[in-house]
Amino acid sequence: MCHHRAAAMTRFCRIELRTTDVPAARRFYRTLLGDDDADIVPLPAEAIARGARPHWLGHLGVADVEGVVRAFVAQGATLLGPIRPSATGGALAILRDPGGAVVALATSPPAPVRADVVWHSLNTADLARATASYCTLLGWQLTEALDLGPHGRHHQFAWSRGGASVGAMAEIKGRLGVHPHWLFHFRVAALGPALAKVRAAGGLVLDPVTLPNGTRIAVCDDPQGAAFALQEEQGGMPP
């Protein structure tokens, strides 16, 4: 196992929306999630120049940002811009991982990640390289796989050996319209009313999916085009 792997459990410590209309996005997520403190910032001009659309950017908290960046790049990741100081006084780097998804590495801040993000889905153009890099460098552990038919085979993972599954990785090959990205699932009490709010605001809703364990989810785009998912709490109201 690579010696740059973080000694402590590595997980998302910050989830930030980078968008083209901050006030409109803030209104949307306040209405949808009751969230007055969402981490929403302007999509940087250099990202727009690369063709980036609005997106939720996950920051993985590590102790040694430069060391983990070097290790990721050795695995085939691309550093997008220089390593720079973070708002919390540490370091921040943004990468395109070996499977094509954009992710940030940051010095772990004292504040926890938002509590309503309940699942982390990686859509990747190279499943083998993505799973190898995240598991080898960060100590994540693959758990069970779920075959969701047209939605692909999802390989679940835990933050550490023996831990509960916290997300899944899936190949995008054969899934039309899906690009490499991290997709974050926000918990809602009832899926139907939440999806109605997305549609009413001009967002896009894909058909909801019921997982084998009964959990109901729906992938959405917000009105600015950032992808996210909504996941109904167990025992939520029917649509």
Side-chain angles (χ1 to χ4, degrees):
M1 188 160 290
C2 177
H3 67 279
H4 288 301
R5 182 178 67 80
M9 182 171 64
T10 300
R11 58 186 300 167
F12 287 103
C13 62
R14 179 184 179 192
I15 297 174
E16 165 193 75
L17 177 64
R18 306 203 301 172
T19 187
T20 50
D21 191 335
V22 171
R26 197 170 294 285
R27 287 192 299 270
F28 172 76
Y29 287 100
R30 182 185 300 123
T31 300
L32 179 64
L33 302 174
D35 186 358
D36 285 318
D37 300 311
D39 201 346
I40 301 175
V41 300
L43 181 62
E46 60 268 26
I48 294 174
R50 289 195 301 267
R53 58 187 281 178
H55 59 276
W56 283 93
L57 177 65
H59 295 228
L60 291 166
V62 296
D64 178 11
V65 172
E66 291 190 9
V68 179
V69 164
R70 286 194 297 270
F72 257 107
V73 170
Q75 293 276 343
T78 302
L79 182 60
L80 302 176
I83 299 173
R84 59 185 188 271
S86 70
T88 55
L92 171 69
I94 299 176
L95 300 167
R96 190 178 305 281
D97 74 19
V102 176
V103 69
L105 297 171
T107 308
S108 297
V113 74
R114 43 185 308 151
D116 59 347
V117 175
V118 292
W119 196 252
H120 314 79
S121 295
L122 175 62
N123 292 285
T124 179
D126 193 331
L127 181 63
R129 292 182 76 189
T131 55
S133 58
Y134 284 103
C135 292
T136 301
L137 302 181
L138 304 182
W140 294 359
Q141 183 77 23
L142 292 180
T143 54
E144 63 180 321
L146 286 177
D147 190 342
L148 298 180
H151 301 285
R153 186 170 175 82
H154 291 243
H155 298 261
Q156 297 183 80
F157 66 89
W159 300 134
S160 58
R161 185 178 297 275
S165 296
V166 293
M169 304 183 187
E171 189 97 39
I172 63 172
K173 184 178 180 181
R175 297 163 62 204
L176 293 178
V178 181
H179 65 281
H181 69 288
W182 275 101
L183 180 74
F184 300 101
H185 295 226
F186 296 88
R187 180 183 60 241
V188 292
L191 195 58
L195 297 183
K197 291 178 181 178
V198 175
R199 293 188 183 99
L204 175 68
V205 175
L206 301 184
D207 288 338
V209 175
T210 301
L211 303 180
N213 66 356
T215 298
R216 299 178 68 243
I217 64 172
V219 177
C220 308
D221 280 355
D222 71 20
Q224 285 71 49
F228 65 99
L230 295 176
Q231 181 166 315
E232 186 178 83
E233 289 181 321
Q234 293 290 349
M237 296 165 53

